[in-house]
Amino acid sequence: MFESAIPALIEMITWPAPLYLFLGVVLGMAFGILPGLGGPQVLALLLPITYGMDVDLAIVLLIGAMAAVPFGGSIPAILINTPGTGQSAATCFDGFPLAQQGKAGMAIGASATASCLGAIFGAVVLTFLLPIGRQVVLLFSYPEYFMLALMGLSVIIVVSKDSLWKGLIAAILGLMLSTIGYDPVTGSVRFTFGSDHLWDGIRLVPAFIGLFAIGEAIELFLKKGKIAQVEYSGKISDVFTGIKSVFQYFGLFFRCSIIGTVIGIIPGVGGAVSNFIAYGHALQSSKDSDNFGKGDIRGVIAPEAANNSKDGGALVPTLIFGIPGSIEMAVLLGALIVLGLEPGPRMMLERPETVLILIYVLVAGNILVSIFGLFSAGIMVKLTYVPATLLAPVVFMLALMGSYLTHGMIFDVVVSLIFGILAFAMKRFGFSRVAVVIALVLGRLAQKTFHQTLMLWGVKGFFVRPISLGLFIITLAMILFPYIQAALRKKRGA
């Protein structure tokens, strides 16, 4: 396979491939910025255009667009607290507070750098894993999925340190909401109140848009003034400060890139899970975590590194088995089949140069979109100085439009409005929206894999498999570490 590396690189840089890459990146970035749109939508839009195209050029266009979406989604998350994609929700936690402090350029610089380097990390891992990827994918089953979900849920205890009871109440609310809909294990329909729309449960993107965008729009209506409370100098040095911060916390970046890649490899888990786990890891591994949620640059670096490295991981089961690792990969898998390619060992034997082009474009697309972001940061941050009375209606309308465009259903708009009102009330009374989001994302995965593990192995199934037991021990350590650390500090003080 590696003997095809040079021919594949030459193919990618030969005209008109760079033009298709540029067009794909621009379109992907636009879809990432617009709330409710994302990778699946841009791939579905481009698929008809690729009919009759050269296969390699079609892949350049599709992967270029897919690569640009994650960073595009982080831009509105930082500037207006509106995640462009569901995977960008974790970036809101510290990205938006930084924008409020007049440090939006710093946040965008860190996001662009962590995204780019994370994608390169994921692509390198993908390159070396392809020959042995079959064994890696088969290591994970239902107990490992459950323990990953449990690990993510343990983050709630840490993010709720200001008021543990309020955090736990918010988490229970999120877990209750995650039980709505058709149970894939038992076959029962729960808490749908006679609505056919709730059979699939509460969709995450409309819920996120409500919790962050609409809730923030209501707050802006009442707040007036501007988003940023400190004047931004507009100097490019702020962006460079964000770039340097990634190297300052390179150990954190590296660990979160590993988290994103590993979780990306596991089929069906999704990017939102990896981002929340990465954010939780950043919070729990920091000796000074008091600033998280208030504008800590580490809270931007961690989810953005995981967000982009997970694409390299998600391509492992997609290319080796033809099993999509995420929704984007499911659409990409369909696109590859339409183009006459059949992902699997056969494709890697017969078309190794096509596989390598795919990896090269994933890296090139992330580098290109990060350069766009870095050079346009000074212009984009000015959005935070638009009067709130003018910005709030725009955010509100974009949020409603994004909710509708996700699946083309008015019901999703209603869901976003309900969650927007809920978010406003939670913010006013000091309840954690982060806890609701984490529980809503991970609750479905936890309940499904819990039932499946019990049906196949019983309770012992969680502890007899080495990886599952290892994840359980790590989760216990994550929960107990802050309390042990606090006790040791108290002892030293005494």
Side-chain angles (χ1 to χ4, degrees):
M1 182 174 177
F2 294 108
E3 63 272 9
S4 303
I6 300 300
L9 182 62
I10 293 172
E11 179 76 23
M12 196 196 78
I13 62 176
T14 302
W15 191 263
L19 174 62
Y20 283 96
L21 175 63
F22 177 80
L23 293 174
V25 166
V26 170
L27 193 57
M29 189 174 179
F31 269 67
I33 290 173
L34 291 173
L37 299 180
Q41 288 81 6
V42 71
L43 290 175
L45 175 70
L46 290 174
L47 184 55
I49 300 174
T50 61
Y51 292 157
M53 282 179 59
D54 176 79
V55 173
D56 291 339
L57 290 177
I59 286 176
V60 169
L61 180 65
L62 292 171
I63 301 299
M66 187 187 77
V69 168
F71 173 66
S74 70
I75 293 172
I78 292 168
L79 296 180
I80 55 176
N81 204 32
T82 304
T85 64
Q87 300 165 8
S88 304
T91 307
C92 293
F93 302 157
D94 282 282
F96 183 66
L98 282 167
Q100 289 179 306
Q101 297 167 21
K103 299 177 181 177
M106 177 182 176
I108 291 175
S111 172
T113 308
S115 296
C116 179
L117 295 180
I120 293 172
F121 180 90
V124 170
V125 172
L126 169 63
T127 304
F128 287 101
L129 272 185
L130 283 177
I132 58 167
R134 182 185 296 269
Q135 290 79 9
V136 174
V137 173
L138 293 177
L139 288 174
F140 286 84
S141 188
Y142 304 130
E144 287 76 22
Y145 293 175
F146 175 77
M147 289 302 173
L148 279 172
L150 192 65
M151 185 188 294
L153 288 169
S154 70
V155 174
I156 292 170
I157 295 174
V158 183
V159 299
S160 307
K161 58 191 173 186
D162 293 335
S163 177
L164 182 59
W165 287 111
K166 286 186 177 181
L168 290 176
I169 290 170
I172 291 169
L173 174 62
L175 289 172
M176 290 171 62
L177 292 171
S178 73
T179 63
I180 293 173
Y182 176 79
D183 189 323
V185 178
T186 65
S188 59
V189 179
R190 306 163 300 179
F191 313 119
T192 59
F193 305 103
S195 172
D196 294 341
H197 296 290
L198 289 175
W199 271 54
D200 292 329
I202 294 175
R203 294 186 176 94
L204 294 180
V205 173
F208 288 169
I209 288 174
L211 283 169
F212 294 103
I214 293 179
E216 201 59 43
I218 297 172
E219 188 76 20
L220 286 172
F221 270 124
L222 301 176
K223 173 186 174 184
K224 299 181 181 179
K226 300 171 183 177
I227 287 177
Q229 298 157 2
V230 179
E231 194 65 31
Y232 172 64
S233 64
K235 294 179 181 177
I236 197 68
S237 59
D238 290 349
V239 179
F240 283 131
T241 303
I243 296 172
K244 286 191 293 184
S245 68
V246 177
F247 297 95
Q248 181 182 350
Y249 299 107
F250 193 80
L252 174 66
F253 158 79
F254 186 75
R255 296 193 302 273
C256 291
S257 295
I258 294 174
I259 290 171
T261 305
V262 171
I263 295 179
I265 290 171
I266 305 170
V269 176
V273 175
S274 67
N275 292 4
F276 287 122
I277 291 179
Y279 183 84
H281 168 73
L283 200 157
Q284 290 173 312
S285 63
S286 301
K287 295 179 181 178
D288 52 336
S289 59
D290 293 339
N291 202 38
F292 275 84
K294 302 173 186 175
D296 195 311
I297 197 64
R298 292 170 293 181
V300 175
I301 295 168
E304 287 300 304
N307 195 17
N308 285 54
S309 64
K310 66 100 178 49
D311 285 336
L315 280 166
V316 172
T318 305
L319 295 177
I320 292 173
F321 293 109
I323 299 173
S326 63
I327 299 174
E328 290 92 338
M329 295 302 157
V331 181
L332 177 64
L333 180 65
L336 292 175
I337 293 171
V338 168
L339 292 170
L341 300 173
E342 188 176 343
R346 192 173 173 182
M347 177 178 167
M348 287 186 285
L349 289 172
E350 297 178 357
R351 299 287 301 261
E353 71 285 347
T354 299
V355 175
L356 289 171
I357 286 173
L358 190 150
I359 296 170
Y360 291 155
V361 174
L362 183 65
V363 171
N366 275 279
I367 293 173
L368 190 57
V369 74
S370 297
I371 291 171
F372 285 169
L374 291 173
F375 280 97
S376 60
I379 298 172
M380 289 189 290
V381 296
K382 293 180 180 178
L383 187 64
T384 60
Y385 294 96
V386 176
T389 49
L390 298 177
L391 188 60
V394 177
V395 173
F396 193 80
M397 292 307 299
L398 278 175
L400 295 182
M401 183 179 72
S403 298
Y404 178 76
L405 289 175
T406 307
H407 295 97
M409 299 174 65
I410 292 295
F411 185 79
D412 287 341
V413 177
V414 176
V415 169
S416 290
L417 288 170
I418 293 171
F419 272 88
I421 296 169
L422 174 67
F424 176 73
M426 291 182 72
K427 194 171 182 181
R428 280 300 170 98
F429 292 104
F431 286 88
S432 173
R433 290 179 294 174
V434 178
V436 174
V437 170
I438 293 173
L440 187 59
V441 170
L442 298 175
R444 296 177 186 179
L445 178 64
Q447 61 182 306
K448 182 173 74 171
T449 52
F450 179 78
H451 283 299
Q452 290 167 327
T453 303
L454 289 181
M455 289 168 63
L456 289 174
W457 292 287
V459 177
K460 67 178 183 180
F462 295 108
F463 307 106
V464 295
R465 294 168 63 90
I467 295 179
S468 177
L469 179 60
L471 290 172
F472 177 70
I473 293 171
I474 292 170
T475 302
L476 280 180
M478 289 169 64
I479 293 172
L480 296 175
F481 180 73
Y483 298 102
I484 295 171
Q485 195 176 39
L488 289 173
R489 285 176 184 168
K490 188 176 181 181
K491 188 176 179 180
R492 286 196 199 102

